[in-house]
Amino acid sequence: MEFHASTEFELVPLHPRVFFTPHNGSASDPQQVHISIAGIDHIRITWLTDDKTVPSAVEYGTEPGKHVIKATGDNSSSYQFLTYTSGFIHHVRIGPLEPNTTYYYRCGGCGPEFSFKTPPSTFPLQIAVVGDLGQTDWTKSTLQGLESKDYDLLLLPGDLSYANSTQPLWDSFGRLVEPLASRRPWMVTEGNHEKESYLVGEAESFKAYNARWLMPHKQSASTSNLYYSFDVAGAHVIMLSSSTEFRSGSDQYAWLATDLARIDRTMTPWVFVSLHTPWYNTNDGRQGDGEGMRAAMEELLYEARVDVVFAGHIHAYERFTRIYDNKANSLGPVYITIGTGGCHSGVYSQFMKPTPALSLCRDARFGHGRLRILDEKRAHWSWHPNDSDVAEDEVWLTCLSAARDD
C-alpha cells in the first residue's frame, strides 16, 4: 500500500488566532468530504484519503444504510507543493438525481455514512453567502450561524482556507467545513489567497485550490476551474475569477460574454454573479483593488441585467444600491460585499466618511448572508452577524429579467 500522511507535517508558526483541525480516522477513512453541483441533476462528491488503494467510488441511495447505486470516478490523484505531498484526492460525479431529495452515501467503501439534500428544481430557493472564511474561532461562529437554519446551497466568493502556501492548512480547512460541506453543495471561487505561487513568474498557481475544489467548469464550457457557471432552480449563477486575466480579448472575458448570451431568462429569470474582489467599496481597506475588472467587465453584466453581484476580499459587510458606472441605475446589479467569514486578520472597521449615497448599509462584523428567492419576480436578502439573533440588514429585490431601457 502507498500512504501519504497528510496529518504529519512541520508547520511554520501559525497566527495565534488560527487553529488546526486534525484527522482522527484511519488512512482509508474519507476526510474533507464536500459536494458541489456538477451539471443538471448531478452532484460531485470530493474527499481525500491517506491510502492510495481506496477506490474512487461512491455508493448511495435514498434510504439510510441502503446504498443501492454505485458510481465511480477517475483514479485518485495527489499533488506536490515544495516538500509537501497531498493525500489522495477523489472526485466522483453521481446522478441523475431527484430534486429536493435526501441521499445517503459512503465514500470509497470505508468510514461513516454521509447524507446530502439536492437543491429544488423550482422556487423557492435559499442560498447562503459568505466569503473569506479562514480557520479561527470567528470562522466557527460563522459556521454555527450557517448551520442554525437550512439552506439549499452556499456561495463562497473566494479566500477559503488562508493556507497561504502552508499546505496542511488546506487539509485542516477541509476537515473543519466537512460537517456542512458534505450535506449541501458548496460552490466556490478563488481569491488572492488561493494563488500560492512559490516561484517568481511561475505559471502553475492555484495548484491546491484546483486539485481540491473542482467546480463544474467543463459543464459550463469553461476551460478553467477558476471561472464557471451553473443553473439551480430558476437561477443562473456565474462565478468569476478576480485573479485571472479578465480584460477584453482574454479567455475569461470571451467565456463570460458567451455565457451571458446563452442565458434564457424564461428558464432562469434570476442571474447572480460571484467574484472575490469587489468593484464597489467604501471601506478604507483595499481601495481600488477591483477597479480594473470593473472597467473591463461591468458593461457586460449591465447589458445582461444581472440582478446581484456578490464579493468578498473586504472583511466587512456592505450593500449598495443598484449601480452602473459609479452612478445609481435601476437597471444595474445590487452589489454586496460579504468577506465576513472569520479571517484571522479581523474585520476592516474603518469606512469612508461621510457615507457615500450609493452605499446603503455597512457593518464591520463577521457573519453570513441569505438570499431567499420566492419566485421569478421576488427575492429577499438578509445579513446575519454572528453576534445577533436577528437580521441586521434586509431588502426585497425585484428581478430584472423583464427590465428594458427607457
Side-chain angles (χ1 to χ4, degrees), residues 26-72:
S26 72
S28 301
D29 284 343
Q31 56 170 299
Q32 308 174 49
V33 181
H34 58 270
I35 71 170
S36 55
I37 293 171
I40 300 298
D41 302 330
H42 284 72
I43 289 288
R44 178 178 288 108
I45 299 175
T46 298
W47 75 98
L48 275 76
T49 60
D50 290 329
D51 181 357
K52 185 178 182 179
T53 65
V54 174
S56 293
V58 171
E59 299 167 321
Y60 65 100
T62 56
E63 297 182 53
K66 295 184 178 180
H67 313 127
V68 296
I69 308 171
K70 184 176 182 178
T72 58

Side-chain angles (χ1 to χ4, degrees), residues 263-335:
I263 298 172
D264 181 353
R265 298 297 279 262
T266 65
M267 300 297 294
T268 54
W270 291 91
V271 179
F272 306 110
V273 170
S274 177
L275 49 87
H276 183 59
T277 307
W279 295 357
Y280 292 96
N281 169 34
T282 73
N283 193 283
D284 287 345
R286 313 304 295 264
Q287 272 296 312
D289 283 6
E291 180 58 21
M293 192 177 190
R294 184 200 68 80
M297 290 184 160
E298 185 179 26
E299 185 176 1
L300 291 178
L301 271 55
Y302 174 75
E303 294 295 338
R305 300 295 180 257
V306 168
D307 292 289
V308 184
V309 176
F310 298 105
H313 196 51
I314 306 302
H315 302 163
Y317 171 75
E318 185 165 19
R319 177 173 60 85
F320 291 86
T321 188
R322 293 193 178 276
I323 303 175
Y324 175 60
D325 196 21
N326 288 291
K327 300 180 183 68
N329 189 309
S330 62
L331 299 180
V334 170
Y335 286 85

